Amino acid sequence: MANFVKIFDTTLRDGTQGEGISLSVEDKMKIARKLDSLGVHYIEGGWPGSNNKDIEFFTRVKELGLKHAKVTAFGSTRRKDTLPENDINLNRILEVGVPVATIFGKSWDFHVHQAIQTTLEENLSMIYDSVHYLKSKGLEIIYDAEHFFDGYKNNADYALQTIKKAEEAGADWIVLCDTNGGSLPHEISEIVTIVKRFVSIPVGIHAHNDCELGVANSLAAVMAGATQVQGTINGFGERCGNANLCSIIPNLQLKLNYSCISEEQLQGLSNVARYVSEIANMHLPVNQAFVGAAAFAHKGGIHVSAILRNASTYEHIKPELVGNKQRVLVSELAGQSNLVFKAQELGLNFDNNNEQSRKLIEQIKEMEHQGYQFEGADASLELLIRDAYGKQEELFTLESFKIIVAKNDDQPVVTEAIVKLSINGESVYNAAEGNGPVNALDNALRKCLLQYYPVLQDMHLSDYKVRVLDEKDKTAAKVRVLIESTDFHNTWSTVGVSADIIVASADALIDSLRYALIGKTRSTVQIEEQKERIGLVNH
Amino acid sequence: MANFVKIFDTTLRDGTQGEGISLSVEDKMKIARKLDSLGVHYIEGGWPGSNNKDIEFFTRVKELGLKHAKVTAFGSTRRKDTLPENDINLNRILEVGVPVATIFGKSWDFHVHQAIQTTLEENLSMIYDSVHYLKSKGLEIIYDAEHFFDGYKNNADYALQTIKKAEEAGADWIVLCDTNGGSLPHEISEIVTIVKRFVSIPVGIHAHNDCELGVANSLAAVMAGATQVQGTINGFGERCGNANLCSIIPNLQLKLNYSCISEEQLQGLSNVARYVSEIANMHLPVNQAFVGAAAFAHKGGIHVSAILRNASTYEHIKPELVGNKQRVLVSELAGQSNLVFKAQELGLNFDNNNEQSRKLIEQIKEMEHQGYQFEGADASLELLIRDAYGKQEELFTLESFKIIVAKNDDQPVVTEAIVKLSINGESVYNAAEGNGPVNALDNALRKCLLQYYPVLQDMHLSDYKVRVLDEKDKTAAKVRVLIESTDFHNTWSTVGVSADIIVASADALIDSLRYALIGKTRSTVQIEEQKERIGLVNH
């Protein structure tokens, strides 16, 4: 029991303060459900005293019937010189009907003077009254001591008085916040140790990442005796973000032998990270620790030859423990062992010394030189390998296309695509409108292809990314388009490069459609099963 | 002197192992020059025994006449069962004529058996011979003990023997590498302390970020006595990246009072981070510690009202110390104080209670609801504020446009734009070709506008980004286009949102051109000076 640490997730509250993050109530519901499946102990849903969207969330979250997590509402201590009974902010917490209130108050004398502009005594009363009032209504109270570490460093005695007040008023937890993210692990360790001796209720940590130490600070606090960690999925949050739960949980559990969530729940971690990032419409960095697509990706040639012998030579944990996967990247640095690895995944006997293989390597190098990147486009790479080995028949070719985008005065824009395909030797000509040029092109291509390959009905595009490649003269620069597609069973990515965004998109679209037809038109190579087994396309 | 730490940058070697990173020789030259200006002590330029591009770099870097940094070449210990004199890899280091060699060898018995497949004794000889050979040729030798921490944890005695061998052979430095990034700060601290007692030459640290602890591990090593830190700009590197020098340097210098580079050089840190990221064509995360665009950006309404009173309430250091800037973001969460702040920056007297202001707030909320984001598009926001206050005359309007993209067989694609503008009441009609639809549109708009506003000659687009906004049906989803423009003095960003990428691009282009004309056609508001002062657009 001494080794148990509770996870407090504030993605839905502090996380939404991050630049570029905005969540609808529906988004918040989806994320809450996902957090519950991960096994976090507290979900901080918002600040009901601050906006109506958060109130709606607290009403609707009850429908979800969460199995594991307690939902908590955030709020400040009462306003100065008022009674807690008359404080709208505190009463809103009661009105939304949560079992747990998270109340933050000032620990730093400087903030009492500068930010809320009252006396040190009144601030102590604000803390006591607010905690006492909500506790008297039967709620579990988590007291967030804002700026505790900065406060302690400036006036230790006063900082300690503030948390003592919260304890006396009946708080269940004291959570020490490094609100500005400026503290270092040895400071956190020292101060948490002191606080643990000073109060008799459990202590938690709330760290930020302004020194790129949010994870280290959280671990230091736990090692000094904290038993609750507050943070967010992917470290979302204001400025440099909150402490990242996606790194804290595996570190606590796999490295330090603390217990937070179950092994099965931990195996869902990468999925949770990607899901939340998708809902929040934030890019998940490929190099994010534990859960990023590159966290267990190997590029250096010597690394690749070593992991072919034994994966633990260059992997600090088994990726499966956090639901991630090993990948091998193809690039100019990698030597040939990476390509060998890919070909083996496809069940092809790749021989370094034969002419076909050498030509393929040259072709890939040349394409990379032009701006292609196959690291994020496994399906396009597979098509190249198949083409080189004659394992892919030409099911269709795009002979010509024309796209017209016309906008007149205040009329809506009209976008049309006209395409000519050659399918099984026949010429097929068709046109379609679309919501934007790439959509029009996609629609026109499908109109032609569906008559021949009805299986394409199941497939749709799930992501579309554009990357500008050069520096100068940006609207004329080369662009790389990455398209992700899914048919509900599998997900695959393709790439196109051109100075023209439409041409690059068309190339990636064509690859995507060709790839969709692989498993469907040939049964000799059991490619679907292979992909399942090796996780080639599901990253 | 005891508090001096040497910075060893390996962006050009280990950094290039990161997913998506590929640097030409020209790129490497630019980055080397920049690293030298930052004041790093060692620049590891590549592995001459591994590829010819790196050899070319070592030849050409001599032309740069670097003032501060020593250039070093990387290589492995000699191959098993050969003489160092006959080892191509070691001789390449001599041939490229660097003053410092960085030689890595195995510390982990498991790797000796698994990866290089030799005996423990032969590995010790490989280390001794390689260091001794290069040292005898007059080079400074940095010995990188690969997998030292994993090796120590598995077989401490053998790991210590390997570094002792390097010391006996004349190495100038022993650098302990956490190659797989799996170690924790308390382990690093303990093991570095032991090594410091065991060897008498200086010790360094080389950490990776697989546990999101690369920075913490580097700091822990320095606090335990390491006096060299190896890392990369922005933490580029394989898997989750190397330890991030952009966080390590300010932490060492501003928080722990170690001395690495000068105060002036530290003020160039944000610029170096952005420059390297631009050259490497990697996205610099806005939330990156110290140097990210959001590192000192404030979104929460209460934070903003507090920093309006005193910036240190929510900032752990002065952003100027690392060459960064405070920013205030406008968003639905922020309340009105953020918008007040923006308007004040523009010298406008924004009154919360007047009708104009309330309408503007509603308009911004509605646009954000549609997918606009002004956090990264200050110029579009400024235009909205100016329009609301009648501070902006309508210099031109886009009446209609048509874009045609046609591709036939193997012919190159042809893209044309036809536009009709109303400028000062006159109708102007023109057409242009372009390299892609946005470029064609840009060309056609300029053809019309330049006759009236020749000052636009100086302005060009410097970045173009596309973000897909919804999840379903991606090619028909709404897209947000961000355009960054520059006229050599200033840089500004504008935004457009539409289901049609062409329409979104056109909207952002128009805003960009309108903004370019503000300072040029009005002199009443000295907007250029203001922007300079407050750094509104230079982020």
Side-chain angles (χ1 to χ4, degrees):
Chain A
M1 283 301 288
N3 278 340
F4 203 86
V5 173
K6 301 249 180 178
I7 302 297
F8 179 109
D9 181 279
T10 181
T11 307
L12 304 182
R13 205 271 305 165
D14 225 6
T16 63
Q17 301 272 338
E19 179 161 0
I21 299 184
S22 173
L23 299 174
S24 68
V25 174
E26 195 49 53
D27 294 336
K28 284 186 157 202
M29 297 281 281
K30 287 181 188 167
I31 292 174
R33 200 184 289 115
K34 202 75 179 175
L35 289 170
D36 191 51
S37 77
L38 180 64
V40 308
H41 305 91
Y42 297 95
I43 295 174
E44 188 169 63
W47 186 346
S50 133
N51 67 78
N52 292 333
K53 200 161 79 174
D54 287 356
I55 295 176
E56 188 188 338
F57 168 77
F58 286 110
T59 307
R60 292 189 49 201
V61 74
K62 290 164 194 156
E63 302 160 14
L64 293 180
L66 299 182
K67 292 207 180 75
H68 193 93
K70 294 190 224 177
V71 173
T72 174
F74 181 75
S76 65
T77 52
R78 67 160 172 79
R79 287 176 166 268
K80 60 188 176 188
D81 311 320
T82 56
L83 290 171
E85 295 81 352
N86 299 335
D87 190 89
I88 295 174
N89 166 63
L90 293 175
N91 285 321
R92 282 272 173 82
I93 294 176
L94 293 173
E95 284 157 27
V96 295
V98 283
V100 186
T102 304
I103 296 299
F104 78 97
K106 297 289 182 193
S107 327
W108 189 0
D109 53 1
F110 166 68
H111 254 264
V112 176
H113 299 309
Q114 288 287 328
I116 56 174
Q117 301 182 319
T118 187
T119 64
L120 297 181
E121 294 67 33
E122 172 62 5
N123 180 52
L124 292 176
S125 302
M126 287 160 66
I127 296 169
Y128 185 91
D129 292 352
S130 308
V131 171
H132 189 263
Y133 175 63
L134 293 177
K135 186 70 195 172
S136 75
K137 302 290 182 183
L139 273 66
E140 177 181 343
I141 311 293
I142 296 174
Y143 176 71
D144 271 13
E146 198 196 12
H147 290 112
F148 186 80
F149 297 93
D150 291 328
Y152 186 91
K153 286 181 241 173
N154 280 273
N155 183 344
D157 184 54
Y158 185 72
L160 289 171
Q161 279 182 53
T162 62
I163 55 173
K164 198 58 161 182
K165 275 287 165 209
E167 182 181 17
E168 285 167 11
D172 296 282
W173 291 90
I174 299 291
V175 174
L176 308 178
C177 304
D178 185 34
T179 310
N180 292 3
S183 296
L184 269 59
H186 67 283
E187 299 170 328
I188 301 281
S189 180
E190 188 186 321
I191 295 172
V192 170
T193 304
I194 291 165
V195 167
K196 277 294 292 177
R197 285 193 222 115
F198 186 76
V199 299
S200 51
I201 53 175
V203 169
I205 181 73
H206 174 113
H208 280 260
N209 206 34
D210 296 76
C211 296
E212 208 181 326
L213 294 168
V215 171
N217 284 345
S218 304
L219 299 184
V222 169
M223 292 177 75
T227 50
Q228 178 187 129
V229 177
Q230 298 192 349
T232 61
I233 299 298
N234 301 326
F236 291 158
E238 183 147 49
R239 305 186 311 272
C240 308
N242 286 59
N244 181 5
L245 291 177
C246 295
S247 295
I248 292 169
I249 296 172
N251 274 321
L252 285 177
Q253 207 144 318
L254 301 175
K255 303 274 173 166
L256 290 167
N257 293 317
Y258 287 89
S259 172
C260 311
I261 60 179
S262 75
E263 277 178 35
E264 293 68 34
Q265 287 166 332
L266 187 58
Q267 285 162 19
L269 187 69
S270 295
N271 174 267
V272 171
R274 291 162 199 189
Y275 182 87
V276 171
S277 142
E278 189 69 13
I279 299 293
N281 200 11
M282 296 293 285
H283 172 71
L284 186 77
V286 294
N287 65 352
Q288 193 171 311
F290 295 101
V291 300
F296 301 93
H298 303 277
K299 182 169 169 186
I302 55 161
H303 288 204
V304 174
S305 35
I307 64 156
L308 287 174
R309 296 208 185 97
N310 188 322
S312 64
T313 50
Y314 285 95
E315 287 179 355
H316 68 117
I317 61 163
K318 284 197 190 359
E320 296 73 23
L321 294 174
V322 292
N324 208 342
K325 284 179 184 137
Q326 182 184 89
R327 284 168 62 220
V328 170
L329 310 176
V330 173
S331 91
E332 53 179 323
L333 269 183
Q336 298 187 1
S337 35
N338 297 3
L339 202 57
V340 174
F341 187 90
K342 277 283 174 216
Q344 282 174 359
E345 285 182 337
L346 299 176
L348 297 171
N349 187 14
F350 191 92
D351 181 352
N352 275 336
N353 299 316
N354 83 25
E355 183 60 20
Q356 264 173 337
S357 309
R358 272 200 302 274
K359 267 194 187 157
L360 176 59
I361 290 169
E362 281 313 304
Q363 186 189 2
I364 289 175
K365 280 193 178 170
E366 174 54 30
M367 290 176 83
E368 285 184 333
H369 183 70
Q370 286 169 34
Y372 278 82
Q373 247 182 27
F374 297 101
E375 295 167 1
D378 282 324
S380 287
L381 179 65
E382 182 174 331
L383 290 171
L384 280 177
I385 296 176
R386 288 181 172 278
D387 287 343
Y389 278 78
K391 296 283 184 190
Q392 170 74 4
E393 57 202 287
E394 201 56 70
L395 301 166
F396 63 92
T397 48
L398 177 59
E399 301 207 326
S400 68
F401 68 83
K402 181 182 265 189
I403 288 167
I404 301 158
V405 183
K407 174 123 177 63
N408 285 303
D409 304 317
D410 291 332
Q411 301 296 307
V413 67
V414 175
T415 303
E416 302 158 306
I418 303 146
V419 300
K420 194 166 102 187
L421 293 187
S422 157
I423 307 179
N424 295 339
E426 291 174 52
S427 234
V428 186
Y429 192 80
N430 220 324
E433 282 194 327
N435 217 340
V438 182
N439 182 241
L441 189 61
D442 189 32
N443 290 342
L445 289 170
R446 278 160 190 276
K447 264 174 125 173
C448 297
L449 288 166
L450 275 171
Q451 322 159 36
Y452 296 83
Y453 307 114
V455 71
L456 290 176
Q457 198 85 50
D458 292 342
M459 166 225 169
H460 70 278
L461 305 186
S462 52
D463 201 1
Y464 173 73
K465 286 183 192 142
V466 180
R467 181 78 200 265
V468 177
L469 295 180
D470 319 329
E471 284 153 74
K472 344 176 240 313
D473 205 12
K474 287 285 172 171
T475 57
K478 263 195 184 169
V479 292
R480 179 168 56 231
V481 169
L482 279 174
I483 284 180
E484 189 186 88
S485 307
T486 178
D487 61 6
F488 307 110
H489 301 298
N490 286 299
T491 301
W492 60 96
S493 296
T494 53
V495 59
V497 172
S498 166
D500 191 307
I501 194 169
I502 306 295
V503 176
S505 303
D507 287 349
L509 266 174
I510 296 287
D511 263 12
S512 172
L513 293 161
R514 285 182 65 206
Y515 189 84
L517 293 173
I518 290 179
K520 308 308 181 295
T521 54
R522 336 177 38 95
S523 58
T524 45
V525 181
Q526 295 301 316
I527 196 68
E528 297 303 317
E529 280 171 41
Q530 283 194 351
K531 280 183 302 185
E532 204 66 52
R533 181 175 53 80
I534 56 177
L536 175 62
V537 295
N538 290 314
H539 61 267
Chain B
M1 282 304 288
N3 278 338
F4 202 87
V5 173
K6 300 249 179 176
I7 302 298
F8 180 110
D9 181 279
T10 180
T11 306
L12 303 183
R13 205 272 306 166
D14 225 6
T16 63
Q17 300 274 337
E19 181 162 359
I21 298 184
S22 174
L23 298 174
S24 67
V25 174
E26 195 50 53
D27 293 338
K28 285 187 156 201
M29 297 281 280
K30 287 181 187 164
I31 292 174
R33 201 184 287 115
K34 202 74 178 178
L35 289 169
D36 190 50
S37 77
L38 179 64
V40 308
H41 305 91
Y42 297 94
I43 295 175
E44 188 169 62
W47 185 346
S50 135
N51 68 79
N52 293 332
K53 200 162 80 175
D54 286 357
I55 296 177
E56 188 189 340
F57 168 77
F58 286 111
T59 308
R60 290 189 49 201
V61 73
K62 290 165 194 156
E63 302 160 14
L64 292 179
L66 300 182
K67 290 206 183 76
H68 193 93
K70 293 190 226 177
V71 173
T72 173
F74 182 75
S76 65
T77 52
R78 67 162 171 80
R79 288 176 166 266
K80 59 188 175 188
D81 312 320
T82 56
L83 291 171
E85 294 80 354
N86 300 334
D87 192 89
I88 294 173
N89 165 64
L90 293 176
N91 285 322
R92 282 273 173 81
I93 295 176
L94 293 174
E95 283 157 26
V96 296
V98 284
V100 186
T102 304
I103 296 299
F104 79 97
K106 298 289 181 193
S107 329
W108 189 359
D109 52 1
F110 166 69
H111 255 262
V112 176
H113 299 311
Q114 288 288 328
I116 55 173
Q117 302 182 316
T118 188
T119 64
L120 297 181
E121 294 67 35
E122 172 64 3
N123 180 52
L124 293 176
S125 302
M126 287 160 68
I127 296 169
Y128 185 92
D129 292 352
S130 308
V131 171
H132 189 263
Y133 175 62
L134 292 177
K135 187 69 194 174
S136 74
K137 303 289 182 183
L139 272 68
E140 176 180 344
I141 311 292
I142 297 174
Y143 176 71
D144 271 14
E146 199 195 11
H147 289 112
F148 186 80
F149 297 94
D150 292 327
Y152 186 91
K153 287 182 238 172
N154 280 273
N155 184 343
D157 184 54
Y158 185 71
L160 289 171
Q161 280 182 53
T162 63
I163 55 174
K164 199 57 159 184
K165 275 288 167 205
E167 183 181 18
E168 286 167 9
D172 297 282
W173 292 88
I174 299 291
V175 175
L176 308 177
C177 303
D178 186 34
T179 310
N180 292 3
S183 297
L184 270 61
H186 66 285
E187 299 170 327
I188 300 281
S189 181
E190 189 186 319
I191 296 173
V192 170
T193 304
I194 291 165
V195 168
K196 277 294 291 177
R197 285 193 222 114
F198 186 77
V199 298
S200 51
I201 53 175
V203 168
I205 180 74
H206 174 113
H208 279 261
N209 206 33
D210 296 75
C211 295
E212 208 180 326
L213 294 168
V215 171
N217 285 346
S218 303
L219 299 184
V222 170
M223 291 177 76
T227 50
Q228 178 186 130
V229 177
Q230 297 192 349
T232 61
I233 299 299
N234 301 325
F236 291 158
E238 186 149 36
R239 304 185 313 272
C240 308
N242 284 61
N244 181 4
L245 291 177
C246 296
S247 294
I248 292 170
I249 296 172
N251 275 320
L252 285 178
Q253 206 144 319
L254 302 175
K255 303 273 171 163
L256 290 167
N257 293 317
Y258 287 88
S259 173
C260 311
I261 59 178
S262 75
E263 278 179 34
E264 293 69 34
Q265 288 166 333
L266 187 58
Q267 285 162 20
L269 187 70
S270 295
N271 173 268
V272 171
R274 290 161 200 192
Y275 182 86
V276 171
S277 145
E278 188 68 15
I279 297 293
N281 201 12
M282 297 293 285
H283 172 71
L284 187 78
V286 294
N287 65 352
Q288 194 172 311
F290 295 101
V291 300
F296 301 93
H298 303 277
K299 182 169 169 184
I302 55 160
H303 288 203
V304 174
S305 34
I307 63 155
L308 287 175
R309 295 207 185 99
N310 188 324
S312 65
T313 51
Y314 285 96
E315 288 179 354
H316 69 116
I317 60 161
K318 284 197 190 2
E320 295 75 21
L321 293 175
V322 292
N324 209 342
K325 285 181 183 136
Q326 183 185 88
R327 284 168 59 220
V328 170
L329 310 175
V330 173
S331 92
E332 55 181 321
L333 268 184
Q336 298 186 1
S337 35
N338 297 4
L339 203 56
V340 174
F341 188 90
K342 276 283 175 215
Q344 281 174 358
E345 286 181 335
L346 300 176
L348 296 170
N349 187 12
F350 190 93
D351 182 351
N352 276 337
N353 298 316
N354 85 23
E355 184 59 18
Q356 264 172 337
S357 309
R358 272 200 303 274
K359 267 196 187 156
L360 176 59
I361 290 168
E362 281 314 305
Q363 185 189 2
I364 288 174
K365 279 193 178 169
E366 175 53 28
M367 291 175 83
E368 284 183 336
H369 183 70
Q370 286 170 34
Y372 278 82
Q373 247 183 27
F374 297 102
E375 295 168 1
D378 283 324
S380 286
L381 179 65
E382 181 174 332
L383 290 170
L384 280 176
I385 296 175
R386 288 180 172 277
D387 287 343
Y389 278 77
K391 296 282 184 190
Q392 170 74 6
E393 57 202 287
E394 202 56 71
L395 301 167
F396 64 90
T397 48
L398 177 59
E399 300 206 327
S400 68
F401 68 82
K402 181 181 267 190
I403 287 167
I404 301 158
V405 183
K407 173 123 177 63
N408 284 304
D409 304 315
D410 292 332
Q411 300 297 306
V413 66
V414 176
T415 304
E416 302 158 307
I418 303 146
V419 300
K420 194 166 103 187
L421 293 186
S422 156
I423 307 178
N424 295 339
E426 292 174 51
S427 234
V428 186
Y429 192 77
N430 220 322
E433 282 195 326
N435 216 339
V438 183
N439 182 241
L441 188 61
D442 189 32
N443 290 343
L445 289 171
R446 277 161 192 274
K447 263 174 126 175
C448 297
L449 287 166
L450 275 172
Q451 322 159 33
Y452 295 83
Y453 306 114
V455 72
L456 292 176
Q457 196 85 52
D458 291 342
M459 166 223 170
H460 70 278
L461 305 185
S462 52
D463 202 0
Y464 173 72
K465 286 183 192 143
V466 181
R467 182 77 199 264
V468 177
L469 296 180
D470 319 329
E471 284 153 74
K472 343 178 241 311
D473 206 14
K474 286 285 168 168
T475 57
K478 264 195 186 170
V479 293
R480 177 166 59 230
V481 169
L482 278 174
I483 284 180
E484 189 185 272
S485 307
T486 177
D487 62 4
F488 307 109
H489 301 298
N490 286 299
T491 301
W492 60 97
S493 296
T494 54
V495 60
V497 172
S498 166
D500 191 308
I501 194 169
I502 307 293
V503 176
S505 303
D507 287 349
L509 266 175
I510 296 287
D511 263 12
S512 171
L513 293 162
R514 283 182 67 207
Y515 189 84
L517 293 173
I518 291 179
K520 308 307 181 297
T521 55
R522 332 175 42 92
S523 59
T524 46
V525 182
Q526 296 300 316
I527 195 67
E528 297 304 317
E529 279 171 40
Q530 282 192 351
K531 281 182 301 182
E532 202 67 51
R533 182 173 53 77
I534 57 178
L536 175 64
V537 294
N538 291 314
H539 62 269

